[in-house]
Every structure is written in structure tokens, then in C-alpha cells.
Amino acid sequence: MCRYDEFDHAFVAERVDQFRGQVARRVAGDLSEDEFKPLRLMNGLYLQLHAYMLRVAIPYGTLSATQMRMLAHIARTYDRGYGHFTTRQNIQYNWPALADVPDILDDLASVEMHAIQTSGNCIRNTTADPLAGVAADEIEDPRVYAEIIRQWSTLHPEFSFLPRKFKIAVTGAPNDRAVTRGHDIGLRMHRDLQGNPSFEVMVGGGQGRTPILAKTIRNFLPVEHLLSYLEAILRVYNQLGRRDNIYKARIKILVQSEGEAAFAEQVEAEWQQIHNNAPGALDLPEAERNRIAAYFAPHGYADLPKQSPILDAALDTDPAFAAWVESNVQGHKQPGYAIATISLKPHGGIPGDASAGQMDAVADLAERYGFDEIRITYKQNLVLPDVPKADLHTVWQELVDLGLGTANAGRISDIIACPGLDYCNLANARSIPIAQRISERFTDLQREREIGDLSLNISGCINACAHHHVANIGILGVDKKGVEYYQITLGGVADENAAIGAVIGPAFEEHQIADAVETIVDVYLNERETDERFIETYQRVGPQPFKEKLYATD
Amino acid sequence: MPLIKHGTLVEDIWHETDDFADVQTLAPLGPVIVTLNVWRQHRAAILAYDGRLGLRLAPGQTPDLVAADLHHFELVELEFAKFTDGRAYSHARLLRERHGFKGELRAVGEVLRDQLSFMLRCGFDAFSLETDQQAEALLAAVDEFAHWYQPAPGTSGRLDHRSTIPALRQGAGNSTNRDTAGRAATWAY
Amino acid sequence: MSIPIPKTIKKTQITTAQAVTANRLSDGAVVYLTDQNTWSAEIDDCQIVNDQGVAENFLSLTQELSGGLSGGDQVVGTYLFKVQLDGGRALPLSRREIIRTTGPSISFGATAAPKQPQI
């Protein structure tokens, strides 16, 4: 777990004071809303439909129990008793008052958290593989680099007024759990030919109205050059990215218009110049990498046997638990331990929402059954990363009591949904009630199991915050003359084989959408060959069988 | 218009023009700032005046366009047409770090208090303002942060001697090797 | 606060009834311009304008004035929206304005009671 040192503490405290001053100047009328808006956004504060929304960063998706309790405290004290976990390892509060926000930031700073750059046209909270440090397939812990990027990007003097928002994701493993190709910059660690860890640098990914997967512009970037290379990419973008049209301002459009090869050449040229100008500037010395890495050193794991008889007995006697283990528990790199996903997707619930009480209870579980750590995933779920196998049954029973024991991780009801028109100022249609309605169709766990791995994401507008483009089944809410309609895309993938889904046909009305999803599932079950996942069937048979059933005229 | 230079309110002695005809009348009176277009069209004639020269660059004009001529200018002015247009931050760093520009680097346009620190750190040392009142508020912003994470011309050069946080961590905070060579050694992350 | 009502009413086409809304600076709450030219959190208090020219005048006046206010009167993001009249009460027409008026269409936080899974 990364710890602030005296400098980080001082810096974040100064940032809170600065924002307190900015709020006071806004209220006093010294700042206009046009001037204040970029400032509040750089501290994660939006003005939504009914209230302000504060987005708090959970850097690289790792939280301590103390930090989780603070999130609960903020939900209770300044909000309405709950928070919403997002796809990019943030938590959002939907009802804070402007005057309270500096106090909230003070509270966050007391547990080494902040809302710096969770919004605005700057480098956003850098995300990482939620299973960093515990996944068996990892080369190096990506959080080391995410933390270095966090510091480097924090109030960067040159890159705080970019053409548009800028998102970076890092993974240290070949299996991509951080949607790196969906980011402005994705960094994926590989070993180079000499066996040294290095980054594949992918640029120009993004969702929105023009979904594009990031292109690899460098296969093996030595890790020590990470910051200078990022600086080169950002400098090219800051100067050449479009500023005349908000819909064409992301780096993906620049990469597209310049061409991938030409863009890569510009970056390389800029990078060379940075090096020639000040050789070694921005290099990451090994000592510094080691200093940060020490924060993420493996926990003091006990020497446990690989198999747990207690677990095996529970699996034999408790089928509901066995179902949860099957969907929500993954192998740990350490024998005798397991990674447990806490689903924030109870059937009929609001995807990603947790009450203050649930947050507190999860903090307790992290202390009792792990090393005081909780992770936040791309799927808007929580993870207990270090549960001894022998404790899994007890943990699950406690989770069930908390309403957090749903056995649906990775299943069709594990829906990613944005807040949609129930909260969001940009939304055209509601997302949450659609997610609720669909997940209520799949309350039968046997049926969900039968359907297997399937991602279903719902965005309430073209900004695609719920990443519907990279979902197996993507749903996009649109507005047609004041009426909500929902368009379906099929075939998206968010992992290392990322793909953009294709629109299947005309949009559906609100009351038709859950039926349409059931139809899609039925076609899949009909068409699938043994053990095929939804996406494999879709890729084999194509859209036609789905189209025929969805738009059958009789 | 009020001008802050090196942290104090000073009188602006520069004349500014985007018309070559004005250069002919203004140059004998004192230092003149010309736009890139005027400079490109009348380079020889302007040089013939042998007066003190400044150059104004619009947000879309990189200093790379005029790199070979920079030695003719005592001052470069970068325009913030909108405070949200951040291109001039890159241009300022290029001027200071790549082109070695040592003269006055002036920010004009939407120069606001909450952007001042970013500008200083990118190498600006002069700020053209709308009102005197603004000057006071602007200067108040300089000390909001004791240290920053990133090395940048403004935090490692002569303008602002504050160390970066990575440098402080390495105990290099007040040592003398903090200029260009020292900076290179300590991103210095 | 009070907003001077324009004296001259331009003869423009009558459109759907409209009202002026904004978010309160202090807490972001939805507010409506009343016929006393104050802001109220209740849509029932809103001033209904039938004339497009008057409505636009209203809007620009409120926008001009909202910059110079202090304390709880300050608002952000003023705009006009269409309403229909139902026995003298203003009802918003679009889904967005309905949700702004009545709050999220879902139960949330402590009031949300998700169904338990069926095993």
C-alpha cells in the first residue's frame, strides 16, 4: 500500500487550501462560473442535474480499510449515505454542497486521498489492474508505475489545459483487466528480448461517439524512460490536438488524422529532442522505482497448504457458496489464498452503489480476512485480494448478510452502468432502471451460470461512460423527441483482445429492451457449441441470427 | 496595461503592433513587439531599425517556426486567447528548454490568478494584466504551493528556486547542482 | 433578489409555455424563477411565460443578474424549459426536466432495497 511521505502530505494539504480559496472566491463573486468550472472540475467537482457530484480518486484501485471507512464517513456526513464506484477506480458522491467540498477534501487528505484531476481537461486519475500484486500472471506490479505517473501528472505545469481529458491505464500482466486499449494511453508490461520489463505503449484509445482502440506506437519502452516518453506524447498532443471542436479533441482523433505511423514518428522525434536537450531528464532511476515498489511489497503471507479441507467441505455441502466461488473467486499467486470479488450488482440494485454501512463492513472484512486491502475494479465491483481459502465460506456468509454476496461476477447481471439521466447533466436517457430491469430477468442463478461469461454495459449517452462499445452486449440510451430509446451493439470486448461492438439494428423502446436482451441470450444458447462463451458464438455466427430474431416481423 | 515582471508591478515600456507601418513610427520611440506575420514579411526592414525587438506568438504558433531568429528578440510574448487553451505552456517550455531563450517571456490575454503558477513553472517571467487589482490577487497565488512534483524551467532555473519533491526526497534540495545538470539527474523522479 | 420586468413586450409568436430554471450555486439544487423574480426550489412557484420574446428577455436578465448576486441567491446555468399547464400548475414536459423536478426515478441509498437472489 502506498504511503504519503511528508511532501505528499504537504502538497495535498496545499491543494485543499487552494481549492478552499477558489470556492470562497466563487461564492464572493470574484470568480465567474466560466472561470470556476475548470477549477472545480480539476478537483473532481461536477454540477449535475440535482446537485453537485464529487468524484474522488482511488489511485490504481487500491484502498486500505481506514480509507474505505473514510469514504463511508463522507457518505454519511456530507452526502445521503451512499457512494457510487465507477469504471475508472473512483467513487462518486451525488449530493455534496459546494461549501462542504473543501471539508470533504480535508477529510480525504487525512487518509491520504484526494479528488485531484478526477475530471477536467488534464491527465486523469491513472488506473491499474485491480488485481495488481496478487494476480498469478503478473510480470511486475503496475501500481509502482501508476503511482509514479500519479505524482508526475499532478498539477503538471504544461499539461493541465489539454484539448480534452486524458486517461492513462497501466497493467503489468498479459491478461488485460484495465482496458488499456480503451485509454488515451495504455501501458502494458512485457519482457523485452533481454528479459527486462518494458512497456508496450498504446495511444489513442477512447469511447465516446467515435470509439477507437489504442494503437501500439512502441513495443518495448524501457521502464526507466516512461516519464520522458509520456511527456513527448503529451507535448505532441497539447500542441496539435484539436481545440476547435470538442468532439474531435481527444488524442484518438489526432492519431487517426495524422496516421498511426506519422504520429509515432512525431512522438519519437519529440522524445529524442527531450533526451538531447537534457540527457537523462525524467529518467526513473532504479533506486526510485525500488523505493516506490517497496510500498507494494508482497504481504507477509502465511505458509498455507494449496488445498483447504474446510473450503472443500463447504463447496460440497453448500451449493450456493459453490456457485459464488465459481463466479466470484479467482486463483491467487500465493498458495492457500484466493481473490474474492464482492459484487456491487445485486439483482435489481444500482450497479456500483454501496451504502456507508456496506463500506464499513467491507473495511472490517478486509482487516479480518486479508491484509487491510480492498480493490476497486473496472466492473464497478470490490475485491478482497487476500482471503485465506479456509475463510472463504465465512467471508461469503458475511457478504450475503450484507447484501453483497451475489454470485454473478462476470455474468450477465454484472452490468456496468453509468448514472444516466437519473443524475447526469449530459445524459439523454436513463441507465440505472434499464440495468435493474435487465438484471431482474436473470435472478435465477442457475440460468446465469448456464449463460456463463457475458458482459453487458449500459451508457445513458454517446459519451459512453459505461463503455458499451466494448461490451459483449452494449446498450446506448438515446433521446428521440423527448422519448428514451436504447440502441444495442454486439461483439465488444474489453480484455486483451479488445474489440468494438457493432450496432445490431434500430433502437428499442424502454419497455422492449429487457425482452431484446433475453432474445439475444436465447439466440446465443441456441447457436452455441459446447463450452462456447457468448462472444465466441457471436464471433463465429456473426450478427445475422441475432438480427433475425430481434427484428422478426411476425 | 499593468505588467508584473519578476514578481513586481512594473511599467510596460514596450509598444505592440501588428502593422508594419506602425513599426516605422514606434521603433524610434522605444522597444517594439511585432507579430510573427509582420516579422516574416518585413524582417530585413525591421532589423534595419536596430531597435529593441519583441515577438508575439499566437496560440497556434510554435516557437520552432522562428527558432533561428530568436536571438533578435529580447522578449517573446505568448498569447492566451482563452485561459483554457494550454498550447502556450508547451511553447514556453520549448523556448526556455529547447531554444535556450533567456529574455523576457511574457503571458498576455486571459492571464488569471489560478493559472499563474503553471505559467511561472513553464518559464514565463512577465504577465500582462487587465487591472492593477488583478496584480495583487495574482501575486497571492505564487506561494500557494511550497513544492511541486515535476521539474520544469520555472522550478529549476533562475525564476523560482524551489526544489521539486523528487529532488527533496533525494536530499538534493538546497545543493548547488540543481541547475541544468542537477535537474537532469533528478527527475528526477 | 428582484429582476426588472421588461416594459415592452415584443409581438412574437406564442409558443409553448416556458419557465426559467437554474441550479443554486451553494448546493446545486434545482430552482425556478418565481413571479416575484426570486428563486424557489418549488416548481409550483415558477413564473410561466408564454411569449418567446419575453421569455428570452427574462433569461438574459437573469443571466446578467446571476453574476452579481451573493449568498443563497446565486445560481448557475440559467435556461428556459417548456412546461404544460395542468389546472394552473406547471408540469415539465421533457424526461430530463421531470427528473430534475422530482429527483432520480430510482430509489437509491438507504431506500434502495435490492431483491435477494433466488438460489
Side-chain angles (χ1 to χ4, degrees):
Chain A
M1 188 86 214
C2 198
R3 300 288 316 195
Y4 282 10
D5 63 15
E6 63 196 282
F7 303 111
D8 300 306
H9 273 292
F11 186 89
V12 173
E14 285 163 345
R15 181 73 179 104
V16 176
D17 288 346
Q18 182 189 41
F19 190 64
R20 194 179 286 282
Q22 288 167 346
V23 170
R25 283 187 282 133
R26 173 69 187 98
V27 173
D30 296 339
L31 279 174
S32 69
E33 187 61 20
D34 285 347
E35 289 166 350
F36 182 60
K37 188 177 172 188
L39 302 178
R40 65 167 159 78
L41 289 177
M42 279 186 73
N43 245 324
L45 189 62
Y46 286 75
L47 184 51
Q48 298 288 31
L49 285 185
H50 326 277
Y52 287 96
M53 180 272 277
L54 181 68
R55 182 183 291 155
V56 173
I58 299 166
Y60 28 87
T62 300
L63 272 178
S64 69
T66 310
Q67 290 173 324
M68 184 63 112
R69 286 197 188 94
M70 180 55 80
L71 297 182
H73 166 79
I74 289 167
R76 257 191 299 264
T77 313
Y78 305 101
D79 209 87
R80 300 195 182 176
Y82 70 107
H84 176 75
F85 290 95
T86 76
T87 57
R88 292 203 74 258
Q89 300 177 327
N90 299 300
I91 182 172
Q92 296 181 172
Y93 295 104
N94 288 312
W95 307 93
L98 180 61
D100 286 340
V101 174
D103 296 337
I104 297 174
L105 297 177
D106 259 339
D107 284 354
L108 288 169
S110 74
V111 295
E112 308 185 352
M113 294 184 78
H114 59 74
I116 297 170
Q117 288 167 220
T118 52
S119 178
N121 294 335
C122 50
I123 303 168
R124 301 284 187 88
N125 179 33
T126 297
T127 53
D129 182 350
L131 305 188
V134 294
D137 59 347
E138 185 170 279
I139 296 170
E140 255 189 57
D141 194 324
R143 292 173 299 176
V144 177
Y145 298 95
E147 170 61 16
I148 286 168
I149 295 169
R150 184 191 75 78
Q151 296 187 22
W152 163 78
S153 63
T154 297
L155 299 194
H156 195 289
E158 185 178 346
F159 307 131
S160 290
F161 296 91
L162 296 169
R164 199 76 177 84
K165 59 188 172 184
F166 203 92
K167 302 173 181 177
I168 303 177
V170 198
T171 178
N175 294 304
D176 188 356
R177 293 170 286 260
V179 207
T180 52
R181 284 212 191 272
H183 281 75
D184 294 284
I185 296 180
L187 298 166
R188 189 182 303 171
M189 188 168 275
H190 300 283
R191 289 201 184 278
D192 66 13
L193 298 173
Q194 286 74 45
N196 300 313
S198 64
F199 280 115
E200 176 184 357
V201 182
M202 299 166 272
V203 178
Q207 308 281 320
R209 70 179 58 202
T210 318
I212 298 179
L213 298 173
K215 309 288 190 295
T216 299
I217 63 164
R218 182 92 187 222
N219 283 310
F220 298 104
L221 177 73
V223 290
E224 63 267 28
H225 296 318
L226 177 62
L227 294 185
S228 54
Y229 206 79
L230 292 181
E231 198 137 310
I233 296 169
L234 266 298
R235 183 170 288 162
V236 169
Y237 171 57
N238 190 40
Q239 293 185 83
L240 301 182
R242 285 183 63 171
R243 291 175 185 269
D244 58 331
N245 181 339
I246 190 177
Y247 302 113
K248 296 187 189 296
R250 293 284 292 272
I251 196 172
K252 63 189 175 186
I253 304 294
L254 179 65
V255 174
Q256 199 180 43
S257 67
E258 299 278 311
E260 197 177 319
F263 178 81
E265 269 172 41
Q266 292 181 62
V267 170
E268 289 289 328
E270 179 58 39
W271 188 58
Q272 282 306 329
Q273 297 237 47
I274 290 173
H275 273 265
N276 297 343
N277 199 55
L282 289 173
D283 272 7
L284 293 171
E286 203 180 345
E288 178 62 11
R289 280 180 279 145
N290 290 342
R291 187 184 74 84
I292 304 264
Y295 288 123
F296 301 104
H299 304 295
Y301 291 110
D303 201 4
L304 299 177
K306 216 171 164 190
Q307 296 290 110
S308 160
I310 299 174
L311 171 63
D312 293 342
L315 288 172
D316 284 345
T317 54
D318 189 341
F321 169 62
W324 180 77
V325 169
E326 184 187 280
S327 56
N328 291 40
V329 174
Q330 296 176 66
H332 197 287
K333 68 177 183 185
Q334 183 71 22
Y337 287 84
I339 301 168
T341 297
I342 301 174
S343 169
L344 294 182
K345 318 291 174 63
H347 294 100
I350 297 175
D353 273 18
S355 69
Q358 288 175 327
M359 291 183 223
D360 277 338
V362 169
D364 291 347
L365 290 174
E367 280 175 341
R368 278 186 281 142
Y369 305 104
F371 297 89
D372 195 17
E373 249 184 42
I374 301 133
R375 306 294 181 84
I376 317 301
T377 75
Y378 165 64
K379 296 280 284 186
Q380 301 180 282
N381 289 321
L382 307 178
V383 167
L384 293 173
D386 301 294
V387 184
K389 282 184 176 172
D391 293 328
L392 277 171
H393 193 222
T394 318
V395 168
W396 173 73
Q397 285 167 324
E398 295 203 31
L399 287 172
V400 169
D401 290 343
L402 294 163
L404 295 172
T406 313
N408 63 349
R411 301 277 162 80
I412 190 168
S413 63
D414 188 2
I415 296 172
I416 296 179
C418 70
L421 190 57
D422 284 299
Y423 294 101
C424 179
N425 211 1
L426 300 172
N428 293 320
R430 288 171 298 161
S431 307
I432 295 168
I434 304 305
Q436 291 174 318
R437 212 166 299 164
I438 292 169
S439 88
E440 278 169 352
R441 296 287 183 98
F442 298 94
T443 47
D444 180 348
L445 286 177
Q446 280 311 325
R447 187 163 171 231
E448 277 215 275
R449 243 183 111 187
E450 161 87 20
I451 298 164
D453 282 355
L454 198 162
S455 60
L456 192 158
N457 301 358
I458 307 173
S459 303
C461 79
I462 196 72
N463 289 302
C465 291
H467 292 210
H468 64 274
H469 298 298
V470 290
N472 298 168
I473 301 176
I475 298 178
L476 165 68
V478 293
D479 174 281
K480 288 187 187 175
K481 298 184 176 162
V483 180
E484 295 156 297
Y485 277 82
Y486 296 87
Q487 194 179 65
I488 294 179
T489 53
L490 294 181
V493 181
D495 63 16
E496 60 281 1
N497 303 309
I500 306 281
V503 175
I504 190 76
F508 295 91
E509 286 181 56
E510 186 191 341
H511 67 270
Q512 300 171 318
I513 190 72
D515 287 340
V517 169
E518 291 224 51
T519 302
I520 291 166
V521 169
D522 290 342
V523 172
Y524 155 61
L525 293 175
N526 241 342
E527 296 279 342
R528 86 164 157 196
E529 294 175 355
T530 329
D531 289 340
E532 240 178 10
R533 291 179 302 145
F534 174 86
I535 190 64
E536 290 159 343
T537 302
Y538 176 80
Q539 286 168 349
R540 182 173 52 78
V541 305
Q544 206 48 41
F546 296 93
K547 225 176 242 181
E548 280 166 18
K549 280 277 185 229
L550 279 170
Y551 302 103
T553 44
D554 42 65
Chain B
M1 287 208 299
L3 181 76
I4 292 181
K5 193 174 172 184
H6 297 151
T8 45
L9 204 55
V10 298
E11 194 194 341
D12 186 5
I13 56 165
W14 290 81
H15 301 284
E16 200 158 340
T17 181
D18 59 358
D19 184 348
F20 178 63
D22 290 343
V23 178
Q24 294 167 303
T25 51
L26 290 173
L29 299 175
V32 179
I33 300 169
V34 296
T35 58
L36 183 62
N37 284 349
V38 169
W39 172 251
R40 280 173 162 170
Q41 283 167 29
H42 305 282
R43 188 176 179 278
I46 293 170
L47 282 175
Y49 281 104
D50 202 27
R52 299 170 66 191
L53 284 178
L55 177 71
R56 180 182 179 116
L57 294 175
Q61 295 172 332
T62 162
D64 294 353
L65 295 170
V66 70
D69 277 348
L70 281 171
H71 63 280
H72 293 300
F73 302 105
E74 280 182 44
L75 175 155
V76 174
E77 197 171 71
L78 300 180
E79 184 192 343
F80 288 85
K82 283 190 233 150
F83 76 91
T84 49
D85 184 340
R87 286 176 287 184
Y89 294 106
S90 286
H91 296 160
R93 287 193 70 179
L94 290 174
L95 276 166
R96 291 293 192 213
E97 292 175 271
R98 189 154 304 163
H99 303 303
F101 182 70
K102 301 272 194 289
E104 177 176 329
L105 185 49
R106 186 183 284 195
V108 296
E110 284 196 5
V111 179
L112 306 176
R113 170 186 168 151
D114 295 289
Q115 281 68 49
L116 187 80
S117 281
F118 298 116
M119 290 178 186
L120 267 173
R121 292 161 64 211
C122 284
F124 286 98
D125 58 355
F127 307 91
S128 182
L129 309 174
E130 301 291 328
T131 64
D132 282 9
Q133 234 175 343
Q134 220 187 335
E136 211 174 296
L138 218 70
L139 289 170
V142 176
D143 294 317
E144 284 177 337
F145 290 84
H147 302 284
W148 306 90
Y149 287 102
Q150 311 81 3
T155 46
S156 59
R158 65 206 160 78
L159 303 170
D160 179 342
H161 293 278
R162 282 177 277 190
S163 302
T164 64
I165 291 170
L168 288 165
R169 284 185 179 134
Q170 295 186 5
N174 297 314
S175 72
T176 48
N177 70 343
R178 287 209 54 262
D179 267 330
T180 42
R183 172 157 57 81
T186 53
W187 129 241
Y189 185 87
Chain C
M1 73 178 256
S2 128
I3 292 157
I5 298 191
K7 294 259 160 41
T8 51
I9 294 175
K10 272 184 276 170
K11 208 171 167 99
T12 50
Q13 84 269 26
I14 304 294
T15 60
T16 322
Q18 296 184 88
V20 179
T21 182
N23 290 77
R24 199 154 58 197
L25 176 68
S26 61
D27 60 1
V30 178
V31 288
Y32 302 94
L33 187 69
T34 71
D35 48 14
Q36 271 84 53
N37 302 313
T38 57
W39 294 104
S40 166
E42 302 298 325
I43 193 170
D44 286 350
D45 298 338
C46 81
Q47 172 166 206
I48 295 155
V49 190
N50 284 301
D51 180 283
Q52 182 65 21
V54 175
E56 280 167 13
N57 256 331
F58 257 57
L59 184 63
S60 61
L61 280 166
T62 53
Q63 283 168 342
E64 248 169 61
L65 285 169
S66 62
L69 296 174
S70 62
D73 283 340
Q74 294 181 93
V75 298
V76 175
T78 324
Y79 63 91
L80 288 163
F81 69 103
K82 289 181 178 165
V83 294
Q84 62 180 351
L85 290 172
D86 178 35
R89 291 185 66 189
L91 298 177
L93 287 173
S94 72
R95 170 70 68 185
R96 175 192 159 91
E97 291 309 325
I98 292 167
I99 289 175
R100 280 183 86 244
T101 303
T102 55
S105 69
I106 38 150
S107 56
F108 54 88
T111 58
K115 289 196 178 86
Q116 288 297 316
Q118 302 159 5
I119 310 293

